[in-house]
């Protein structure tokens, strides 16, 4: 055994020579995502913008078309006359599949001018409302850290930073306005909600009576869809559904169905097939596609101290990848409406309930 | 209401009915005639690649709490 006398006085761990290009152990190796394999060129391409592939009775029969497999053995299977010309995955690069933060440290700690002040400010706002042992330990960790520089925090204008955090920047940039204020699209409408309320036959005036129960703020679904489809987001919309299969082994091995996106679901495939099988609109040979609507609504409290509530209805498109839908920066979800709820106060205004009665008894028990 | 009901306020089933009615009435407004026509006959849109296509909206999912109570 040879001992290098030069490094004898160093700790054992530092003595070992550095091996370059060492591979990480298997469990730490990360396989990067890989977009689906490119589709074979369509026989009709390049399609001039004005002409459209005919979908009439004399068009070629639909058949099962399989795309090549990608790195992971995944392939797409279409049931169509030809592979779609519009393939959103064509534009997918491996960068789209990776979630990485490109923001610089300066952007991340904005409006704090340096890391020391950011850590202090972060501790002040986010480390609980009360003083505690652990909070004090956290503070000691910040100011005791070798990178902490007291001179960095001495000149900081804390009041201005807090105003900025509170949404009142003294400086010119006001980009945190609400979506509704910025988009003065004016396509919101108000429609009175009319409901029928029944009264028992032994009541004074039995039978049904119609009441106006508030107003619904809503947008036209059709105009939302038009905007989505004609806008730049269209490049990311999957028009033609497909089935995704996994076939890692030999060409003749049994492929396994892969579930993931709505546009690779059985429901979408069947809806698309039903649409293609249905007779086209008279005199229209435009290609027909499904727009997959996905609604979501959830009531929420706006504040901790009042009963201010919102109950918004959102719309996302299943033609969009779930990875895009889940990214707030893609603005993939649209506000469609704000639901109204029944409140006795509203109904009492219309003399459904005697207001004086409401104030003394019902409010305590029912509101 | 109280007047009609002999001085008693609305009961649970009554409020449930109202919640359901108001909810259904609002969906009735959202799924308007324009949407129903688009559902049946599609809407023709020129997409941003310059191609005209006919789109048929279909509702696939609705994620929500049970809010009739």
């Amino acid at each position: 055994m040879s001992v290098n006398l030069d490094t004898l006085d160093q700790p054992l761990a530092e003595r070992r020579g550095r091996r370059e290009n060492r591979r990480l152990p298997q469990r730490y190796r990360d396989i990067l995502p890989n977009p689906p394999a490119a589709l074979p060129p369509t026989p009709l391409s390049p399609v001039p913008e004005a002409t459209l592939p005919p979908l009439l009775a004399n068009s070629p029969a639909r058949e099962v078309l399989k795309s090549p497999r990608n790195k992971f053995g995944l392939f797409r299977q279409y049931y169509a006359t030809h592979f779609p010309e519009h393939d959103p995955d064509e534009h997918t690069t491996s960068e789209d599949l990776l979630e990485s933060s490109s923001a610089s440290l300066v952007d991340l700690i904005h409006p704090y001018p340096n890391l020391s002040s950011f850590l202090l400010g972060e501790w002040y706002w986010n480390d609980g409302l009360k003083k505690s042992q652990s909070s004090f330990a956290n503070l000691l960790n910040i100011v005791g850290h070798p990178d902490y520089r007291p001179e960095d925090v001495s000149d900081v204008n804390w009041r201005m930073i807090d105003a900025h955090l509170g949404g009142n920047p003294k400086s010119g940039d006001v980009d945190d306005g609400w979506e509704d204020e910025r988009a003065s699209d004016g396509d919101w409408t108000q429609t009175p909600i009319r409901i029928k309320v029944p009264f028992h036959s032994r009541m004074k005036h039995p039978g049904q009576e119609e009441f106006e129960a508030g107003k619904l703020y809503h947008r036209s679904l059709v105009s939302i869809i038009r905007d989505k489809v004609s806008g730049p987001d269209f490049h990311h919309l999957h028009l033609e559904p497909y089935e995704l299969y996994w076939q890692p082994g030999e060409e003749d091995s049994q492929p396994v169905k892969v579930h993931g996106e709505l546009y690779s679901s059985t429901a979408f495939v069947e809806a698309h097939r039903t649409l293609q099988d249905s007779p086209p609109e008279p005199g229209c040979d435009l290609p027909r596609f499904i727009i997959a609507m996905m609604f979501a609504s959830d009531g929420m409290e706006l504040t901790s101290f009042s009963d201010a509530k919102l109950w918004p209805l959102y719309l996302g498109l299943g033609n969009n990848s779930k990875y895009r839908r889940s990214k707030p920066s893609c603005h993939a979800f649209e506000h469609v409406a704000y639901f109204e709820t029944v409140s006795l106060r509203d109904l009492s205004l219309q003399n459904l309930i005697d207001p004086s009665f409401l104030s003394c008894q019902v409010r305590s028990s029912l509101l | 209401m109280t007047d009609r009901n002999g001085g008693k306020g609305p009961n649970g089933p009554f409020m449930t009915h109202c919640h359901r009615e108001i909810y259904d009435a609002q969906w009735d407004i959202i799924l308007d005639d324009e949407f129903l026509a688009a559902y049946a006959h599609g809407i023709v849109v020129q997409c941003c690649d310059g191609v005209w296509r006919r789109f048929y909206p279909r509702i696939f999912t609705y994620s929500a709490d049970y809010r009739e109570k």
Side-chain angles (χ1 to χ4, degrees):
Chain A
M1 186 184 157
S2 69
V3 176
N4 189 343
L5 291 173
D6 296 340
T7 57
L8 206 57
D9 56 333
Q10 288 177 5
L12 197 61
E14 288 174 21
R15 231 183 287 167
R16 271 173 51 192
R18 282 248 165 245
R19 253 196 302 154
E20 296 301 318
N21 300 325
R22 219 167 8 161
R23 284 192 82 182
L24 285 168
Q26 178 86 43
R27 64 183 183 280
Y28 294 127
R29 263 180 252 156
D30 195 11
I31 301 164
L32 294 180
N34 186 234
L39 296 177
T42 52
L44 293 168
S45 66
V47 183
E49 285 190 356
T51 64
L52 297 153
L55 277 168
L56 300 172
N58 60 357
S59 62
R62 275 172 280 155
E63 53 183 333
V64 173
L65 300 167
K66 289 181 185 179
S67 78
R69 292 186 285 177
N70 79 348
K71 192 170 116 188
F72 298 110
L74 291 169
F75 69 88
R76 294 180 268 173
Q77 178 175 308
Y78 291 89
Y79 182 69
T81 55
H82 53 82
F83 282 111
E85 291 108 36
H86 169 78
D87 178 21
D89 293 326
E90 208 173 74
H91 308 282
T92 308
T93 62
S94 41
E95 250 131 72
D96 293 330
L97 300 171
L98 293 172
E99 187 70 68
S100 63
S101 172
S102 56
S104 66
L105 185 65
V106 177
D107 291 336
L108 288 175
I109 63 173
H110 179 81
Y112 293 93
N114 49 56
L115 196 58
S116 298
S117 60
F118 169 77
L119 288 172
L120 267 192
E122 209 266 337
W123 174 84
Y124 175 71
W125 287 112
N126 292 340
D127 208 45
L129 297 171
K130 289 179 186 160
K131 287 197 191 101
S132 67
Q133 291 279 339
S134 71
S135 175
F136 185 62
N138 289 339
L139 179 61
L140 289 181
N141 279 338
I142 294 170
V143 296
H145 196 274
D147 288 345
Y148 179 80
R149 294 167 52 175
E151 63 271 26
D152 273 1
V153 297
S154 57
D155 296 333
V156 171
N157 186 343
W158 297 99
R159 201 180 283 271
M160 203 190 79
I161 287 175
D162 289 346
H164 203 293
L165 290 174
N168 302 312
K170 292 274 196 308
S171 55
D173 62 301
V174 272
D175 196 29
D176 29 281
W178 284 68
E179 187 68 22
D180 291 354
E181 291 170 11
R182 222 182 310 160
S184 55
D185 42 17
D187 58 351
W188 285 88
T189 40
Q190 272 186 66
T191 309
I193 307 158
R194 308 202 71 82
I195 61 167
K196 292 198 168 80
V197 178
F199 292 99
H200 196 270
S201 57
R202 275 180 299 193
M203 287 182 173
K204 217 174 185 178
H205 310 283
Q208 274 198 342
E209 211 164 292
E210 201 174 72
F211 285 92
E212 191 186 309
K215 285 187 166 62
L216 176 69
Y217 283 85
H218 64 107
R219 294 167 71 195
S220 150
L221 289 175
V222 172
S223 68
I224 294 174
I225 295 172
R226 273 185 194 280
D227 285 354
K228 281 274 168 202
V229 173
S230 57
D233 214 32
F234 172 76
H235 290 300
H236 300 285
L237 298 184
H238 293 250
L239 301 182
E240 222 144 320
Y242 58 81
E243 287 168 293
L244 190 64
Y245 287 98
W246 181 51
Q247 194 184 31
E250 297 300 313
E251 198 71 54
D252 56 347
S253 61
Q254 185 67 36
V256 179
K257 178 100 192 265
V258 180
H259 301 271
E261 297 283 1
L262 190 74
Y263 50 77
S264 62
S265 69
T266 314
F268 201 140
V269 169
E270 276 174 7
H272 184 75
R273 196 172 293 195
T274 310
L275 177 65
Q276 305 308 321
D277 289 341
S278 67
E281 289 295 308
C284 174
D285 58 358
L286 294 176
R288 295 178 292 168
F289 298 104
I290 297 280
I291 286 295
M293 308 170 80
M294 302 175 85
F295 285 107
S297 65
D298 196 8
M300 53 176 156
E301 308 275 335
L302 288 181
T303 62
S304 314
F305 305 110
S306 78
D307 57 355
K309 286 179 193 142
L310 272 186
W311 189 8
L313 174 69
Y314 302 102
L315 171 65
L317 297 188
N319 307 68
N320 225 330
S321 164
K322 61 184 175 186
Y323 298 109
R324 284 186 59 78
R325 281 204 310 272
S326 57
K327 267 190 186 174
S329 59
C330 289
H331 299 291
F333 276 85
E334 295 284 335
H335 292 226
V336 176
Y338 290 91
F339 284 122
E340 276 291 332
T341 48
V342 180
S343 75
L344 284 179
R345 211 167 305 177
D346 290 346
L347 296 177
S348 72
L349 288 174
Q350 299 156 42
N351 298 322
L352 190 62
I353 300 164
D354 176 14
S356 61
F357 178 81
L358 180 76
S359 58
C360 59
Q361 287 181 11
V362 185
R363 186 167 293 184
S364 57
S365 61
L366 282 158
L367 278 185
Chain B
M1 165 83 204
T2 349
D3 185 36
R4 291 178 181 199
N5 202 12
K8 277 185 281 180
N11 56 13
F14 172 83
M15 290 311 287
T16 304
H17 170 86
C18 287
H19 284 305
R20 193 184 59 227
E21 282 294 307
I22 196 170
Y23 185 70
D24 289 354
Q26 290 177 90
W27 268 108
D28 205 38
I29 296 169
I30 294 166
L31 303 176
D32 52 4
D33 291 344
E34 186 192 25
F35 178 76
L36 296 186
Y39 195 95
H41 306 291
I43 45 171
V44 178
V45 182
Q46 186 179 25
C47 305
C48 70
D49 59 356
V51 178
W52 291 87
R53 295 178 173 87
R54 190 178 279 273
F55 291 100
Y56 291 78
R58 294 287 182 269
I59 298 170
F60 279 81
T61 63
Y62 181 27
S63 327
D65 293 335
Y66 188 79
R67 287 293 292 248
E68 286 173 13
K69 287 264 176 190

